[in-house]
Amino acid sequence: MQWFNRPVSDTQITQWQRMWLYIVAAIIMLLLVVPSFIVIPMSFSNSQYLEFPPETWSTRWYETYFESAKWMRATITSLKVGFLTMLFATPIGVMAAYALYVSGHRFARAVFAFLVTPMIVPVILIAIGTFYAFGKFGLNNTITGLVLAHTVIAIPLVTIVITSAFRNYDLDQERVARSLGASRIRAFFVITVPQIKFSVATAALLSFLTSFDEVIVSIFVSGGKNATLTKHMFGALRDYIDPTIAAISTIMILVSTILLLITQFFGKKSS
Amino acid sequence: MNATLQDQSALPIHIQSLTKKYDRLFALNAVSLDIRSGEFLTLLGPSGSGKTTLLMAIAGFNRPDSGSIKFGDEEVILKPPHKRNVGMVFQSYALFPHMSVAENIAFPLKLRGIKGQESTDRVNQALATVQLEGLGERGIEQLSGGQRQRVALARAFVFKPRILLMDEPLSALDKKLRDQMQIELKNLHEQLGVTTVYVTHDQREALTMSDRIVVINDGQLCQIDTPHAIYNQPVDRFVADFIGESTMLPLTRNNSGDLVYIDQIISSKNSTSVNTEALLVIRPERLFVINESNIDRENTIVFNGKVKEFVFQGDTAFVVLSINETDTLSFRFSTDAAAADNYLQIGQPLSVGLARHNVIVIPKDTNQ
């Protein structure tokens, strides 16, 4: 095993000496991922109940899902809300990050902290607050309300991603473009945007995912024909446990994983 | 050499009592300055002196609290940067990394509706001017620091601006390349004939390239003069100290009002404009070692002292001479291979001379 004795870096530490680190890392990764992946075999069970490991296999719960009008409507709601959230949160977050970066104002840090509070405040508090606030305006159980609430949660993510993209960006480029004859808006779109576009794409996907995966706020403010997929899943889990949930979870894992892989790809490109 | 690059007429810049405050600090304090058409003017000062603030005000990136900036007869103080038609080179070059060299240079042309063959021709011409023929298709990543500098330059003059602004454009280059680029920039300026305002904190750079230098400190202009005058007739302590090396010795007044150092008259009452306490400024290269044969007492001021330090630095040797308990004098002389054995010993008595025409007298207080 020559590989074991090969130095990892200039420090002369060999792969073998680092073995314990690899093992620790592997355990942590498994702990993070296994609970999610356990639903995958469960979704292919032939049983009426959630069981692991399944005794017989089938794809009947996928059929149930795709044939159920209720599940399909919830799925479409979730996709629609996710898409609209992305559409609103991305430009708002980009503008916020840009403004904070350009201004260099002494309150910029404070404003940034304020912008990311929705990430720090427990979501349940946001959910309760939103629920009562929406009550006054009749926004509960509407797509508009849901999109508003999810946009609030997604903006911090976009702002953080774009802020870190600006960290490697030289604002003099925009200045030089303006001195060469481009208006400020044009300089932003022709010079700045092409250089942060991968981060913008990443931020957009993340804001979609944030909405698509979101449960707590959805439970409070969505309902009726505008209930999200996650809200239905939560209800189903409480009322009649059957492996359809596992099938939907598997599909959601797949969607999320694909989107995250795309984000990673963009992340690589932008750096 | 390039007829089409020469046909731009340069514009003078008139700056009237320009003031800019950040919080309570004056970045610019009632600055007035007339920049002549076609001249190479350098704003020289330490960091925080206001030189970049002034440049950015000319470019339109910051708006002064009061005052006026005119390009020719046209008031531009309220104009946004993209309408000022000013070429600009930044310290970081700020090339667009998502565009090729040619696309970078064509950018200002595109914004002016110049396309196709004319654009290509002008880009190639600009590339030739900065000696980068044939590199148009390169990506920015593939260029060396010096090449990037040239692309940034080409991009700034390709649209024939009548004013060119540069913010410490050479500070990111190593010394050798910087020296070379100084000469190239000077030549380019002569070729283009465009009014050029150049910001630097490097006094040698300023002395090398400028038609005139503006020494700026604490938001105020200290002196506006040719490199020669700035070096040989600094108006105050700040300028004398900031430009070049210097030793300053305190002068006293004798009964008839002449300025005196120890017992020698440095400047007679009538020949000096300084009427407060005064300092004698001595440039280290202007002093020479006196031996019996070369004294012209009439026109030489003599300092007697003891060698306190002696440092061999290759091209020159640096000597610190202590004259009395408080005053020391530093000077340099050119080295000579044959002299290696009889260089100066520490503690050895030595007399040095300063020709009277090299005397510089300034007021003792900078803020008169």
Side-chain angles (χ1 to χ4, degrees):
Chain A
M1 295 299 274
Q2 215 185 342
W3 180 81
F4 279 128
N5 299 320
R6 200 175 294 159
V8 181
S9 64
D10 299 342
T11 55
Q12 302 296 315
I13 293 171
T14 61
Q15 299 284 3
W16 177 244
Q17 285 168 305
R18 272 206 179 168
M19 194 46 69
W20 66 277
L21 275 175
Y22 296 147
I23 293 168
V24 170
I27 291 171
I28 290 170
M29 280 157 82
L30 278 175
L31 284 173
L32 286 173
V33 128
V34 165
S36 314
F37 284 176
I38 220 157
V39 300
I40 297 172
M42 283 162 91
S43 71
F44 290 100
S45 157
N46 195 18
S47 155
Q48 285 282 0
Y49 306 99
L50 283 170
E51 60 176 25
F52 184 83
E55 284 174 11
T56 49
W57 303 88
S58 84
T59 55
R60 59 185 279 203
W61 302 112
Y62 285 89
E63 284 157 30
T64 315
Y65 167 65
F66 282 110
E67 278 160 14
S68 152
K70 193 187 77 175
W71 282 120
M72 281 299 107
R73 196 169 58 213
T75 307
I76 287 165
T77 301
S78 276
L79 289 173
K80 202 198 279 176
V81 171
F83 185 72
L84 289 171
T85 300
M86 175 176 90
L87 231 50
F88 286 110
T90 312
I92 294 173
V94 170
M95 286 192 283
Y98 178 76
L100 289 176
Y101 174 64
V102 168
S103 82
H105 197 273
R106 58 195 151 134
F107 293 137
R109 277 176 166 276
V111 173
F112 180 78
F114 180 75
L115 274 175
V116 299
T117 43
M119 279 185 89
I120 300 153
V121 176
V123 186
I124 186 79
L125 293 185
I126 296 177
I128 295 168
T130 312
F131 177 73
Y132 281 106
F134 280 10
K136 287 225 180 230
F137 301 104
L139 285 168
N140 281 322
N141 301 348
T142 63
I143 294 277
T144 316
L146 205 51
V147 170
L148 271 176
H150 281 175
T151 302
V152 167
I153 300 173
I155 284 174
L157 272 174
V158 178
T159 312
I160 288 170
V161 170
I162 303 300
T163 299
S164 78
F166 277 134
R167 212 156 281 157
N168 303 319
Y169 177 69
D170 176 13
L171 194 66
D172 278 348
Q173 286 183 38
E174 216 174 86
R175 287 215 189 91
V176 103
R178 287 162 67 197
S179 81
L180 295 173
S183 66
R184 193 158 190 176
I185 293 195
R186 188 156 182 181
F188 176 74
F189 280 106
V190 180
I191 301 302
T192 306
V193 170
Q195 293 182 62
I196 59 164
K197 63 184 173 192
F198 294 115
S199 297
V200 174
T202 302
L205 287 175
L206 282 176
S207 56
F208 174 83
L209 268 184
T210 304
S211 162
F212 191 70
D213 288 347
E214 204 284 324
V215 193
I216 302 168
V217 173
S218 300
I219 287 174
F220 275 78
V221 306
S222 83
K225 64 178 173 50
N226 286 331
T228 66
L229 192 55
T230 48
K231 169 151 188 171
H232 269 302
M233 287 169 74
F234 190 78
L237 210 53
R238 197 180 51 205
D239 302 336
Y240 48 96
I241 297 176
D242 75 30
T244 316
I245 301 281
I248 300 169
S249 300
T250 306
I251 293 171
M252 285 182 84
I253 289 171
L254 196 69
V255 171
S256 302
T257 311
I258 290 171
L259 287 183
L260 274 179
L261 284 178
I262 296 174
T263 342
Q264 288 297 307
F265 171 75
F266 283 141
K268 271 240 172 73
K269 274 224 156 163
S270 64
S271 62
Chain B
M1 144 181 156
N2 289 304
T4 44
L5 284 172
Q6 269 175 350
D7 66 3
Q8 48 203 345
S9 52
L11 270 181
I13 305 172
H14 307 291
I15 294 167
Q16 267 297 322
S17 50
L18 212 59
T19 297
K20 173 81 179 172
K21 267 190 193 171
Y22 289 116
D23 293 326
R24 267 184 226 153
L25 277 170
F26 281 102
L28 295 174
N29 192 354
V31 166
S32 294
L33 175 63
D34 280 325
I35 303 171
R36 295 170 194 152
S37 171
E39 87 173 318
F40 194 119
L41 183 105
T42 298
L43 304 176
L44 175 66
S47 58
S49 58
K51 57 189 193 301
T52 302
T53 307
L54 180 54
L55 191 80
M56 290 301 165
I58 298 173
F61 291 113
N62 69 42
R63 185 168 298 165
D65 305 329
S66 62
S68 142
I69 301 175
K70 282 184 180 170
F71 293 171
D73 296 326
E74 183 197 13
E75 177 63 63
V76 296
I77 197 99
L78 294 176
K79 272 197 169 186
H82 67 279
K83 291 191 177 147
R84 293 199 183 187
N85 211 30
V86 160
M88 182 136 188
V89 179
F90 284 81
Q91 189 171 5
S92 60
Y93 314 149
L95 298 176
F96 310 135
H98 59 300
M99 297 182 189
S100 71
V101 167
E103 284 168 339
N104 262 280
I105 300 174
F107 183 79
L109 300 177
K110 208 166 119 190
L111 291 168
R112 286 165 178 76
I114 299 166
K115 284 176 270 196
Q117 195 56 44
E118 192 189 348
S119 168
T120 314
D121 289 347
R122 281 177 58 175
V123 168
N124 287 337
Q125 206 171 59
L127 278 171
T129 309
V130 294
Q131 296 159 34
L132 289 178
E133 290 102 330
L135 295 189
E137 297 315 308
R138 291 262 177 104
I140 300 306
E141 305 293 317
Q142 295 164 270
L143 301 180
S144 69
Q147 289 172 326
R148 287 177 197 206
Q149 174 60 64
R150 288 164 210 232
V151 175
L153 257 173
R155 185 178 62 180
F157 68 70
V158 69
F159 61 102
K160 300 175 188 171
R162 299 199 283 177
I163 291 165
L164 195 58
L165 308 178
M166 299 193 224
D167 185 14
E168 310 216 14
L170 303 183
S171 59
L173 302 177
D174 62 56
K175 192 185 174 308
K176 223 170 190 170
L177 197 53
R178 200 159 62 220
D179 291 347
Q180 185 194 335
M181 285 303 292
Q182 285 173 12
I183 307 294
E184 279 186 33
L185 276 180
K186 200 178 156 87
N187 293 339
L188 182 72
H189 170 254
E190 270 159 31
Q191 201 179 328
L192 298 175
V194 59
T195 308
T196 302
V197 184
Y198 188 98
V199 161
T200 186
H201 63 268
D202 180 337
Q203 39 118 349
R204 186 162 292 277
E205 210 166 281
L207 292 169
T208 306
M209 292 192 287
S210 321
D211 293 325
R212 285 194 303 161
I213 296 173
V214 177
V215 181
I216 181 166
N217 188 37
D218 284 339
Q220 283 175 306
L221 309 188
C222 307
Q223 189 170 0
I224 309 168
D225 248 318
T226 61
H228 187 85
I230 290 268
Y231 190 79
N232 292 313
Q233 292 132 32
V235 293
D236 66 16
R237 192 168 180 164
F238 176 80
V239 178
D241 204 29
F242 191 70
I243 314 280
E245 290 176 79
S246 56
T247 301
M248 295 188 200
L249 298 174
L251 298 178
T252 49
R253 258 174 225 280
N254 65 10
N255 295 335
S256 48
D258 305 326
L259 289 167
V260 175
Y261 184 72
I262 305 185
D263 48 7
Q264 296 178 88
I265 293 176
I266 302 296
S267 184
S268 66
K269 192 182 178 187
N270 302 327
S271 64
T272 177
S273 57
V274 179
N275 43 28
T276 56
E277 285 191 80
L279 293 171
L280 170 63
V281 179
I282 302 168
R283 301 297 189 189
E285 73 282 2
R286 302 277 162 89
L287 288 169
F288 55 92
V289 178
I290 290 176
N291 43 47
E292 297 310 318
S293 60
N294 69 355
I295 302 189
D296 168 10
R297 286 254 170 214
E298 194 78 346
N299 296 312
T300 308
I301 297 164
V302 178
F303 301 94
N304 302 309
K306 279 185 178 156
V307 176
K308 193 180 173 198
E309 280 174 52
F310 173 82
V311 186
F312 176 76
Q313 292 179 326
D315 55 344
T316 55
F318 183 73
V319 184
V320 180
L321 196 68
S322 68
I323 302 171
N324 56 32
E325 270 147 34
T326 50
D327 298 343
T328 59
L329 206 62
S330 3
F331 73 99
R332 333 183 143 267
F333 60 87
S334 300
T335 54
D336 185 326
D341 291 335
N342 51 22
Y343 275 144
L344 304 170
Q345 304 298 314
I346 306 287
Q348 149 185 2
L350 187 74
S351 297
V352 293
L354 176 72
R356 286 209 173 266
H357 64 258
N358 282 328
V359 163
I360 304 166
V361 176
I362 58 166
K364 192 168 183 181
D365 299 316
T366 299
N367 313 311
Q368 57 281 63

